[in-house]
Every structure is written in C-alpha cells, then in structure tokens.
Amino acid sequence: MLTIANLEVVYNRIARVLNGVSIEVQDGETVALLGPNGAGKSTLLRAMTGLLSIHDGDITKGSILLGDQRLDGMKPDAIVRNGVVQVMEGRRIFIDLSVEDNLLAGAYGQRRDVSKELAEVYEQFPRLAERRKQLAGYLSGGEQQMLAISRALLTQPKLLLLDEPSLGLSPVMTAEVGRLIRQIQKRGISILLVEQNAAMALNLASRGYVLESGRLVLDGNSRELLDDPDFKEFYLGQGGGKASTNFRDVKHYRRKRRWLS
Ligand code: ATP
C-alpha cells in the first residue's frame, strides 16, 4: 500500500536529514519505525503528510506512493482525503474545545452521519463519554491520547501514522494504548508506528525499521529484531553493552548491512 523509495529530504536547502530511505507498509500491516532522537523519524512523517514545506524542508530525491498515487507533491488536505492520517506526538488535541467537538473535528468536511462511530468511541472509553461536554484540555495525558487516536479514526484512514503514542504515559496507559492499537489492526487499517519504546512497538508490529542519522541501519521482522543481540543492547537496554553510542558503531554492523542491500 505504502512504498517510500530512496527518499532524500533537505531542510533550508542545505541540511540533508534523510538519505536514501526506503520503507514499505502492506495492506493491514503494522510496521514500527524506531530510532533515537534526531534520527529523522518526524521528518519522514512530515514528508508523508505534506507538512515539510512549513518547516522549510524539501524532498530532493525519491518518491512516496500510496498504491499507485503519488503523495509527494500532494497538499496535506488531499493526503488526508486519500486516507493517510497522522496522530501527532504530544497528542495535539484542541484543548479549548469539548471532547465531542474534538471528535467531530475528525469527521469535519465529510457529509456522513458519525453518530454510530461516536457511540462506539464512548462505549469503548466511558471516561470520554462522561466528559463529552467538558473541555478536552482537562483530560489526563492518557485520555487525551485516546481522544487523539479516536478522532483520527473518524477520518476513516487507510493508513494511520502514530507518532510516539506512548510518550509520557504511565505503564497502565501505555498498555491501554496498545489495546486500542490492536483494535485498529482488527479493522484492517495499516499503521506506521513511530516509537522510542522499541519493545512496545515491536510487540504490536509485524516488522520494524531502525533509522539513525537519516539512514536505515537495520530492518527485519519483529521477532528477528527482538532476538538480535545488537538491537537488544541499543534499543532494549539489555546485554550489558559498553562504549558504542549508536548502532552503526557496533562490531557486527557490516554484517547487518547485508540485510538492507
Ligand atoms: P525526535 O524524536 O527527537 O523528534 P526524530 O527522529 O523525529 O527525533 P527529526 O525531528 O526528524 O528527528 O530531526 C532530524 C534532524 O533534522 C535533526 O538533526 C533535526 O535537528 C533536524 N531538523 C528537524 N527539523 C528541522 C528544521 N525545520 N530545520 C532544520 N533542521 C531540522
């Protein structure tokens, strides 16, 4: 469904922050995009949602296809109409609108009756139902995350881009977000899950990509990654590793590169 090929992104016409990135997400698949701060994960999402230009960024090489539709060069609203919807990091709900108006904003511009979908959201999250008329800014962090994801679902996405959905949440709320993601998977919606919480992401995704300094350094199915000693050391904090500060420095890096060639 989604094919990103050899993508290069430059900010301010000089700073190249993505360098030949290629990623695929199949129909109904959940794929994790992992990597440390500054790796280029948000930049990749901006490229997919048409929001690079407001950050003075440009795609200088490569392509982004949804099926046979080219997304690079498309306006953000057209990308949403084509079914690619992002839930931003930090939740970005409208704190001065009621919970219900936030949800309705998800279906804005669509001439259809969303009352059944609203009822489903409220059934699933009774806390949102109790607070439907209250300002969304009064919700807890976890509740705001549920609201942001529920709102995105009301746009009827084909591909949902989740940017750090567990960021700042308690373990209990992180588990709740995980349950919601599993329900979305059952609906057949494809998901690109951007996370620093690698264990959580790979438990939900079938495959993962690791991005560092604008390049993919590793990819594989989730089991392979979770069992990979180097991956464990750098992304799961296991293995008692020393010295190296990033994945590219590890001894076996050359061997791993073969996976990507
Ligand atoms: P984080 O999780 O910290 O947001 P990230 O993996 O999402 O990290 P990006 O935010 O995409 O990484 O940043 C990638 C690189 O691009 C960083 O070096 C960052 O400083 C740089 N960068 C991001 N936005 C801009 C911008 N508008 N102009 C110039 N450089 C930028």
Side-chain angles (χ1 to χ4, degrees):
M1 104 167 316
L2 175 81
T3 313
I4 299 181
N6 200 24
L7 199 73
E8 184 178 284
V9 169
V10 171
Y11 284 116
N12 310 313
R13 274 158 285 281
I14 41 166
R16 188 165 60 182
V17 298
L18 290 186
N19 203 338
V21 172
S22 299
I23 278 181
E24 277 185 15
V25 182
Q26 304 297 340
D27 276 339
E29 191 183 28
T30 298
V31 171
L33 177 64
L34 309 167
N37 284 331
K41 304 180 300 296
S42 303
T43 300
L44 187 62
L45 291 177
R46 285 174 189 160
M48 295 170 66
T49 51
L51 294 175
L52 269 180
S53 57
I54 57 171
H55 297 273
D56 206 8
D58 292 297
I59 294 174
T60 45
K61 260 192 208 159
S63 59
I64 305 176
L65 287 167
L66 185 72
D68 50 14
Q69 276 268 42
R70 206 103 189 216
L71 297 187
D72 46 306
M74 210 183 258
K75 293 261 181 295
D77 55 333
I79 292 173
V80 171
R81 280 199 302 278
N82 274 283
V84 178
V85 177
Q86 180 176 355
V87 178
M88 302 269 194
E89 184 199 340
R91 303 176 273 278
R92 308 276 175 90
I93 55 160
F94 302 114
I95 54 171
D96 294 327
L97 290 184
S98 70
V99 167
E100 184 139 312
D101 285 342
N102 265 277
L103 289 170
L104 291 172
Y108 181 76
Q110 302 173 16
R111 292 204 186 95
R112 62 192 180 87
D113 180 10
V114 293
S115 49
K116 188 161 163 273
E117 287 157 76
L118 277 184
E120 279 168 12
V121 171
Y122 291 145
E123 193 185 338
Q124 198 174 357
F125 302 114
R127 289 279 292 167
L128 296 184
E130 283 162 24
R131 291 157 178 253
R132 66 211 284 173
K133 299 290 173 210
Q134 292 179 20
L135 293 185
Y138 295 139
L139 296 176
S140 72
E143 290 160 355
Q144 289 187 15
Q145 186 60 272
M146 299 305 168
L147 178 60
I149 298 175
S150 301
R151 181 180 65 187
L153 290 175
L154 277 154
T155 61
Q156 300 190 306
K158 291 184 202 147
L159 172 63
L160 196 59
L161 310 175
L162 295 176
D163 192 1
E164 307 262 6
S166 76
L167 191 75
L169 298 187
S170 67
V172 171
M173 283 318 296
T174 300
E176 186 75 12
V177 169
R179 270 193 291 281
L180 176 54
I181 291 173
R182 290 206 186 283
Q183 285 169 16
I184 298 169
Q185 291 171 329
K186 286 195 189 128
R187 293 198 205 177
I189 297 169
S190 306
I191 301 173
L192 182 65
L193 179 55
V194 175
E195 263 294 341
Q196 293 210 11
N197 183 342
M200 179 230 188
L202 291 176
N203 277 319
L204 292 163
S206 53
R207 292 188 298 118
Y209 294 91
V210 181
L211 191 67
E212 276 184 9
S213 308
R215 291 177 190 272
L216 290 176
V217 293
L218 187 65
D219 71 1
N221 73 44
S222 298
R223 194 67 264 159
E224 274 168 8
L225 291 175
L226 288 167
D227 288 341
D228 183 279
D230 296 333
F231 183 86
K232 276 189 197 165
E233 180 179 340
F234 286 100
Y235 289 98
L236 302 174
Q238 301 166 4
K242 47 182 187 311
S244 306
T245 52
N246 69 40
F247 202 88
R248 293 218 240 174
D249 291 342
V250 297
K251 212 161 121 197
H252 302 303
Y253 177 57
R254 281 182 194 287
R255 175 166 58 80
K256 305 294 176 201
R257 275 177 66 127
R258 287 208 309 265
W259 297 15
L260 302 169
S261 57

